[in-house]
Amino acid sequence: EKQGLKQLKPWSTGTTIAGVVFKDGVVLGADTRSTAGETVADKNCEKIHFISPNIYCCGAGTAADTENVTGMISSQLELHKFRTGRESRVVTALTLLKSHLFRYQGYVSAALVLGGFDCKGPHLFTVFPHGSTDSLPFCTMGSGSLNAMAVYEQGYKEDMTKEEAMALTKRAIRAGIFNDLGSGSNGGLWGIKA
């Protein structure tokens, strides 16, 4: 701070977002509470964003950043689809997202759970604000992520049906809502299937 640089302070996203892969697709879930510091700013904030008909994304972090990043990637994928004449692949969306976020080195506050189904099957990724990614069978992000992860670790099994995956994700989001003050209001689920 002596040289005029301010040290970044840790922050909490105030969100619970989650996703799980099932036999034929992916289920994404999110709470709907938006916070501004310790104040509830919006009780019905949409955190599940459209990327393409076969790809959706949950966002934690600054609402404007997640909305603009996912909107920009959605339009780039639409142009790519027109150019190639093929359906968008999830890994293409992942590459565009992580390249954009890496360019800004974490200053674009968008932590994302990306899920979709393409010619290679179901895919689920986490994308961190600095551009690093993970590919997992289930994942959570946000301030309620530890509570949701406990539910996933206890209840996950391979080759679940869509109904089992939806029920598990519903329980995971509910755990985040009930055990994290920054998460809350309602929960939303989105299933992506072949």
Side-chain angles (χ1 to χ4, degrees), residues 8 11 62 65 98 100-111 128-132:
L8 295 175
W11 52 275
T62 305
D65 287 348
K98 70 182 183 179
H100 178 75
L101 292 174
F102 180 76
R103 191 176 311 127
Y104 290 95
Q105 293 290 303
Y107 284 99
V108 174
S109 176
F128 293 89
H130 54 273
S132 68

Side-chain angles (χ1 to χ4, degrees), residues 84-145:
T84 62
R86 288 183 275 172
E87 196 64 44
S88 301
R89 292 195 44 205
V90 182
V91 72
T92 306
L94 175 70
T95 303
L96 292 169
L97 280 167
K98 70 182 183 179
S99 297
H100 178 75
L101 292 174
F102 180 76
R103 191 176 311 127
Y104 290 95
Q105 293 290 303
Y107 284 99
V108 174
S109 176
L112 307 166
V113 172
L114 178 71
F117 192 94
D118 59 24
C119 61
K120 301 286 186 182
H123 301 277
L124 184 67
F125 299 99
T126 55
V127 185
F128 293 89
H130 54 273
S132 68
T133 61
D134 284 325
S135 175
L136 303 161
F138 58 89
C139 60
T140 63
M141 292 184 94
S143 58
S145 64

Side-chain angles (χ1 to χ4, degrees), residues 35-185:
T35 56
E38 296 175 4
T39 306
V40 175
D42 186 359
K43 291 181 181 179
N44 292 308
C45 178
E46 290 291 329
K47 295 181 184 177
I48 302 177
H49 306 280
F50 173 87
I51 301 288
S52 74
N54 61 317
I55 306 168
Y56 280 78
C57 185
C58 295
T62 305
D65 287 348
T66 60
E67 188 72 34
N68 286 317
V69 166
T70 56
M72 179 187 64
I73 299 305
S74 177
S75 66
Q76 288 179 3
L77 280 180
E78 187 74 16
L79 292 172
H80 184 265
K81 180 179 165 184
F82 288 140
R83 241 187 336 262
T84 62
R86 288 183 275 172
E87 196 64 44
S88 301
R89 292 195 44 205
V90 182
V91 72
T92 306
L94 175 70
T95 303
L96 292 169
L97 280 167
K98 70 182 183 179
S99 297
H100 178 75
L101 292 174
F102 180 76
R103 191 176 311 127
Y104 290 95
Q105 293 290 303
Y107 284 99
V108 174
S109 176
L112 307 166
V113 172
L114 178 71
F117 192 94
D118 59 24
C119 61
K120 301 286 186 182
H123 301 277
L124 184 67
F125 299 99
T126 55
V127 185
F128 293 89
H130 54 273
S132 68
T133 61
D134 284 325
S135 175
L136 303 161
F138 58 89
C139 60
T140 63
M141 292 184 94
S143 58
S145 64
L146 294 178
N147 306 303
M149 184 59 76
V151 172
Y152 274 148
E153 288 178 347
Q154 182 269 327
Y156 176 78
K157 61 184 181 192
E158 288 190 23
D159 294 327
M160 288 189 290
T161 64
K162 182 178 180 180
E163 291 73 27
E164 290 172 325
M166 298 270 285
L168 183 61
T169 301
K170 185 177 179 181
R171 285 196 349 254
I173 296 300
R174 189 179 299 142
I177 289 171
F178 289 139
N179 296 297
D180 172 47
L181 294 175
S183 301
S185 300

